[in-house]
Amino acid sequence: MPRKPFVPGAALVVAAALAAGLTACTGGSGSDGEEGDAKSGGTSTSSQAAEPGRYQTLPEACGLPARSSLRGMLPGDGQQLSRDEAKKIYDGQPDITYDTDRRVGCRWTRETTAGTRHLSLDIQRVVSYDAAVSDDSKAQGIYDTKALDAKIPSGGNGSPSPVAPSPSATKDTSKDKTEGKDKGTGTGTGTTTNSSTDKKEKAPSGSPSGSSAPATDPSADPSAGLSDSTAPRVLDDLGDAAFLNDKLVTADSGVHRDVTVVFRTSNVIVTLTYDQWSTDKTMLPESQELQDKARSLAGELSESLSE
């Protein structure tokens, strides 16, 4: 039988068809492979992204402190309150905020014959919009700035540099009671002086009663009378990081001591401010009492947020 003639063009067409089919299959596999790589790469990127903070919302600030704690911090010197008066004082006044998932606050006030006490609470939830920075790290940065602004002595990682105590603060530390007696007996009073004169004539509180030097003006040194246990400092037993600040301020209307406790727990920063006002400048608010109550409430709030 005669053989059929060989046609080179037909072979080329068949070869081209086979090559096209193989290319299509390979291209599909390559596309799938690229998708897998892209997803894999996306998974790898997300795994390296910073962790979100523990808190995604915030509680209602006025309802956080226990009523018993508020009664202790806002004493009435034996005054009897009606139900409506008690409700007004202890329910507090909430701060007006635009996003209660990001920031809430509340304020309480009680006026008595011995003076006025104020308590305020500010709670901020920090969110980092940088994938490389966690919410906790962002919150720690804000906390560090607050500690630096308050000039809190160094007490750990990321804390501000120490602040050297003034000589007057060192002297007054061991002479609190003597200074109080000088003021109580009216030494240096009865004459009108301005703040600059008080600073120039400032003398140790242990001066003889017959000395012409007036008693120490607390406004000249807010740290006067603070011991190592009551001076502004880092707190090691509260939240992830915490500090306490204590300031004594005089004004025309009287004298007040402000105690502030700031602590961070994960991506939430809590600022608690507790102060006592007195119209009698010789009756200085006691630092130890205010600090103890402020720290106790801060511990209570930290536990509530951790639940």
Side-chain angles (χ1 to χ4, degrees):
M1 260 181 97
R3 292 182 298 176
K4 292 182 179 180
F6 176 72
V7 182
L12 291 175
V13 171
V14 173
L18 290 174
L22 290 174
T23 301
C25 294
T26 304
S29 300
S31 175
D32 291 341
E34 288 174 4
E35 278 188 25
D37 291 343
K39 291 179 180 179
S40 175
T43 302
S44 176
T45 301
S46 62
S47 65
Q48 295 177 0
E51 291 289 333
R54 173 181 178 180
Y55 301 96
Q56 301 302 313
T57 186
L58 291 174
E60 196 275 315
C62 292
L64 275 181
R67 183 61 62 95
S68 58
S69 300
L70 292 175
R71 288 196 187 99
M73 300 185 78
L74 304 170
D77 298 332
Q79 295 178 354
Q80 295 296 323
L81 296 175
S82 66
R83 180 175 299 180
D84 290 341
E85 290 173 333
K87 179 177 176 59
K88 181 179 180 180
I89 291 174
Y90 299 126
D91 282 0
Q93 181 66 40
D95 291 346
I96 299 176
T97 59
Y98 296 100
D99 186 352
T100 55
D101 283 336
R102 292 294 299 275
R103 195 159 203 157
V104 294
C106 192
R107 301 174 185 276
W108 298 263
T109 301
R110 186 167 189 182
E111 298 180 2
T112 67
T113 55
T116 302
R117 298 205 187 196
H118 303 88
L119 172 65
S120 67
L121 181 61
D122 177 82
I123 307 176
Q124 177 185 4
R125 183 174 70 90
V126 179
V127 177
S128 172
Y129 295 100
D130 185 347
V133 179
S134 68
D135 293 346
D136 286 18
S137 296
K138 180 74 173 179
Q140 181 65 37
I142 295 174
Y143 166 86
D144 288 341
T145 299
K146 289 178 177 289
L148 188 63
D149 291 343
K151 299 181 180 179
I152 302 301
S154 177
N157 295 332
S159 298
S161 301
V163 178
S166 63
S168 59
T170 305
K171 293 179 182 178
D172 289 336
T173 298
S174 60
K175 300 180 181 180
D176 295 341
K177 296 183 179 179
T178 304
E179 178 182 297
K181 291 179 181 178
D182 288 346
K183 289 181 178 293
T185 56
T187 304
T189 61
T191 58
T192 304
T193 60
N194 55 35
S195 59
S196 60
T197 303
D198 291 340
K199 292 180 181 179
K200 291 179 182 179
E201 297 180 355
K202 187 174 165 182
S205 56
S207 300
S209 58
S211 172
S212 59
T216 302
D217 178 5
S219 65
D221 185 359
S223 298
L226 294 179
S227 64
D228 290 341
S229 62
T230 57
R233 62 198 182 278
V234 169
L235 302 176
D236 298 325
D237 56 351
L238 182 62
D240 297 320
F243 70 82
L244 180 148
N245 200 12
D246 189 319
K247 290 184 177 180
L248 184 64
V249 182
T250 58
D252 293 338
S253 57
V255 59
H256 63 98
R257 183 178 293 280
D258 304 336
V259 173
T260 302
V261 176
V262 178
F263 70 90
R264 177 185 73 83
T265 173
S266 185
N267 61 319
V268 164
I269 298 176
V270 178
T271 301
L272 184 160
T273 303
Y274 182 41
D275 65 73
Q276 178 180 358
W277 280 77
S278 174
T279 55
D280 185 352
K281 295 184 181 181
T282 65
M283 301 296 292
L284 303 182
E286 184 182 349
S287 178
Q288 189 68 60
E289 179 207 353
L290 296 180
Q291 288 195 22
D292 288 347
K293 290 182 177 181
R295 289 194 62 181
S296 178
L297 178 58
E300 177 185 323
L301 296 176
S302 179
E303 292 181 3
S304 297
L305 290 171
S306 299
E307 292 177 353

